[in-house]
Amino acid sequence: MLASAPPVTPEGLSWNGFVQSHVAVRTADVNCPPGTECNVPAADLRGDLDVEGKNAAGNARFLGRFELLRDFVLDETQLSTREFYGDLRSEKLAARLGRQVITWGVGDLLFINDTFPKDPVALFTGQPLEYIKLGSDALKLNAYPAPVNLELVIAEFRPDNMPTSRRFVLADPLPAGLPRRTEEPGNSRQDLEISGRVFGYHDNWDLAGYASRTHYHTPARRVTGGEIVSTFPRLNTVGASLTGPALNGVLSLEAGYYDSPQDPDGRDPSIENSQSRGLIGYSRQVWDDTTLGVQLYGEWMRNYSAYRETLPAGFPIKDRVREVATFRFTQLFAHQTVTFNVFAFVGLSEKDHYIIPSLRYAFSDNLWAEIGANVFGGNRNGTYGSMQDNNNVYLTVRFAL
């Protein structure tokens, strides 16, 4: 059983934090919708405070990460809890309860078996990568019986933070002028999301199997009764991953199957068809302070003929097989105080791309600044090409306390 623990003493408390300024500016002016500032998709100032405490025995701890954000684009000031959880641990068992960031899988900015909430807005505006994942309000249980480890996550639903017209120029095939509303899953037992992972280590290889009963975290939108209603259909997934040394680098493999139980025959155009997903990745150090990584990713849609038959007029047609390649190049300079990085998504089937170059300089252990860009292009009906009116450059400055 989990060991009981005495209260955390003041001597077990520690804290740190930072102040960060971030701005992203569109590279070309567009006609923004009334009431928006989409030519400046991001302009914010935030203060982050992390507080951690643990008992003398080290088998109980808590972590709180709190953030005060001034968003100049939306003209909002908000205090939020990015993470706040408590841990209990023994030799063979562990439990974590509260808001926590959970990451599964082996992909680099490609997610298959990681069905936990994400923030594409942070990615598209150049925020630090730590902001791409959102915290889940969850209970996470771990057991470590040899030779495998077990993890169970029971979480409340939380949607992805999707781009909106308040920050971005977005193509919308749905009728303009109709009222819109969103119906999110509740917090009842039948709406809880349950995910499990079995993982282990064998002969220098990390192996894992995954299964989940969750929801799509991006909305399914349909016109109903003279209004546009966004819902989050059920999603069941199963998959596996493998990563280990190969050819003087690291080889990664991951696959998963997405089952849409609310649209088993693929005839509801508002719900994603069931599909298989897979990726293969390879990364290695090519010379001192320089790494190169590549990935090939694919999605295979089931019931494709039914999808084509029921797709409403005006909606872009998806491919039966969507193929994407990614490339990451990272070079460190000046005693590792300067980091040059380029990450690129290349839509092989959709003929589009999304490129993220960045340059970071660490002035000291406490202060760094980064400039970069988000560059979309190619086929306007593609996943990345449809965002090409949102090309931007960004600047981030962070001072650690």
Side-chain angles (χ1 to χ4, degrees), residues 22-28 30-46 67 69-78 119-127 161-171 376 387-392:
H22 179 80
V23 62
V25 179
R26 196 179 308 280
T27 57
V30 297
N31 293 322
C32 295
T36 72
E37 295 292 340
C38 69
N39 280 318
V40 184
D44 55 63
L45 180 65
R46 72 183 71 216
E67 184 174 84
L69 172 68
R70 174 57 183 170
D71 189 326
F72 297 100
V73 174
L74 303 183
D75 192 23
E76 294 177 351
T77 301
Q78 52 185 283
D119 190 347
V121 172
L123 178 65
F124 296 160
T125 57
Q127 293 280 4
N161 183 29
M162 298 301 296
T164 70
S165 59
R166 297 190 70 181
R167 298 182 189 271
F168 299 94
V169 177
L170 303 172
F376 304 89
M387 294 288 292
Q388 63 186 268
D389 291 328
N390 298 286
N391 291 343
N392 62 79

Side-chain angles (χ1 to χ4, degrees), residues 140-188:
K140 185 173 71 170
L141 303 173
N142 288 84
Y144 309 103
V148 298
N149 305 307
L150 307 174
E151 185 167 285
L152 176 68
V153 177
I154 304 172
E156 294 182 352
F157 171 81
R158 185 180 186 183
D160 290 347
N161 183 29
M162 298 301 296
T164 70
S165 59
R166 297 190 70 181
R167 298 182 189 271
F168 299 94
V169 177
L170 303 172
D172 189 351
L174 292 172
L178 291 181
R180 302 187 178 215
R181 63 183 174 89
T182 299
E183 297 179 353
E184 293 187 6
N187 296 324
S188 61

Side-chain angles (χ1 to χ4, degrees), residues 101-360:
V101 174
I102 303 170
T103 300
W104 286 357
V106 299
D108 185 2
L109 293 183
L110 292 172
F111 305 98
I112 296 179
N113 293 294
D114 185 332
T115 59
F116 303 105
K118 302 171 184 68
D119 190 347
V121 172
L123 178 65
F124 296 160
T125 57
Q127 293 280 4
L129 288 181
E130 67 198 75
Y131 289 101
I132 294 176
K133 295 298 298 290
L134 298 174
S136 299
D137 295 327
L139 170 65
K140 185 173 71 170
L141 303 173
N142 288 84
Y144 309 103
V148 298
N149 305 307
L150 307 174
E151 185 167 285
L152 176 68
V153 177
I154 304 172
E156 294 182 352
F157 171 81
R158 185 180 186 183
D160 290 347
N161 183 29
M162 298 301 296
T164 70
S165 59
R166 297 190 70 181
R167 298 182 189 271
F168 299 94
V169 177
L170 303 172
D172 189 351
L174 292 172
L178 291 181
R180 302 187 178 215
R181 63 183 174 89
T182 299
E183 297 179 353
E184 293 187 6
N187 296 324
S188 61
R189 285 189 298 175
Q190 60 265 32
D191 289 324
L192 290 176
E193 301 184 333
I194 302 175
S195 304
R197 179 170 67 125
V198 180
F199 57 103
Y201 185 77
H202 177 70
D203 196 23
N204 295 323
W205 287 83
D206 289 309
L207 306 91
Y210 312 87
S212 68
R213 183 177 184 270
T214 179
H215 298 84
Y216 284 101
H217 288 213
T218 57
R221 300 183 299 163
R222 71 181 74 194
V223 179
T224 303
E227 62 180 355
I228 298 173
V229 180
S230 297
T231 61
F232 299 86
R234 268 293 181 182
L235 170 64
N236 301 322
T237 72
V238 63
S241 66
L242 174 69
T243 184
L247 303 174
N248 297 317
V250 178
L251 177 68
S252 300
L253 302 169
E254 187 170 357
Y257 180 71
Y258 279 42
D259 171 52
S260 294
Q262 293 177 233
D263 185 27
D265 57 4
R267 303 193 67 84
D268 186 337
S270 70
I271 300 178
E272 293 282 349
N273 281 28
S274 298
Q275 61 179 240
S276 300
R277 300 185 179 189
L279 71 80
I280 178 171
Y282 176 75
S283 63
R284 64 168 296 178
Q285 181 174 324
V286 290
W287 56 77
D288 287 348
D289 293 332
T290 306
T291 58
L292 177 66
V294 297
Q295 296 177 119
L296 292 176
Y297 170 84
E299 299 175 354
W300 294 264
M301 185 189 300
R302 290 194 60 199
N303 300 312
Y304 187 72
S305 59
Y307 158 78
R308 290 293 302 269
E309 291 170 3
T310 57
L311 186 68
F315 280 67
I317 300 174
K318 297 180 181 179
D319 296 323
R320 181 193 300 268
V321 179
R322 177 175 176 245
E323 300 170 330
V324 176
T326 75
F327 304 88
R328 181 184 291 278
F329 177 82
T330 303
Q331 172 74 64
L332 304 179
F333 299 96
H335 305 290
Q336 301 184 345
T337 59
V338 178
T339 303
F340 173 69
N341 185 79
V342 177
F343 190 93
F345 297 90
V346 180
L348 302 178
S349 57
E350 296 181 331
K351 310 301 182 187
D352 58 355
H353 60 264
Y354 173 28
I355 303 172
I356 315 169
S358 64
L359 183 68
R360 177 180 294 193

